[in-house]
Amino acid sequence: MLRKVSLALAATLMMSGMALADPIEGNWKTASGATAAISGSGSFSITLKTGKHAGKTIGSFKASGGGKYAGTITDPETDKTYNGKATLSGSSLKMSGCVLGGLICKSQTWSKL
């Protein structure tokens, strides 16, 4: 009987973990109109799915808590990589990349598809 309860508990925990995907995961419409896919668990990869640079990986982020993420973001036009931050608010994701220790930053807001 203990074995059956243990198996049921393990199955429940595995299924609940799958159902609780991070809200940053999924497809996002970028400021340029392209679609970017964010996938992963704990560490997230951003790949462009449509547009001029389709198939290109442009970022890597880790969750820092409270809907905030930190990592790197690459400008697909120039191939330059910057320190990046992302903040999730509902179905919007504010992305920013900075140089010179955060003195010069650019940001854009993406929408969840």
Side-chain angles (χ1 to χ4, degrees), residues 73-89:
I73 190 82
T74 301
D75 179 346
E77 290 289 329
T78 63
D79 266 343
K80 291 185 179 180
T81 300
Y82 304 95
N83 290 327
K85 292 181 183 178
T87 304
L88 184 64
S89 179

Side-chain angles (χ1 to χ4, degrees), residues 2-3 10 14 21 30 48 74 80 101:
L2 182 59
R3 183 175 178 198
M14 285 175 50
T30 68
L48 292 174
T74 301
K80 291 185 179 180

Side-chain angles (χ1 to χ4, degrees), residues 9-94:
L9 180 60
T12 302
L13 289 174
M14 285 175 50
M15 292 176 73
S16 66
M18 287 180 221
L20 297 175
D22 198 289
I24 196 174
E25 290 180 296
N27 292 319
W28 295 85
K29 184 172 188 158
T30 68
S32 68
T35 299
I38 300 178
S39 60
S41 178
S43 181
F44 301 94
S45 177
I46 305 169
T47 304
L48 292 174
K49 293 296 183 184
T50 64
K52 182 178 172 183
H53 302 285
K56 188 171 199 168
T57 299
I58 62 163
S60 176
F61 284 88
K62 288 189 178 185
S64 22
K68 296 182 187 272
Y69 301 82
T72 59
I73 190 82
T74 301
D75 179 346
E77 290 289 329
T78 63
D79 266 343
K80 291 185 179 180
T81 300
Y82 304 95
N83 290 327
K85 292 181 183 178
T87 304
L88 184 64
S89 179
S91 62
S92 294
L93 185 64
K94 183 176 180 182

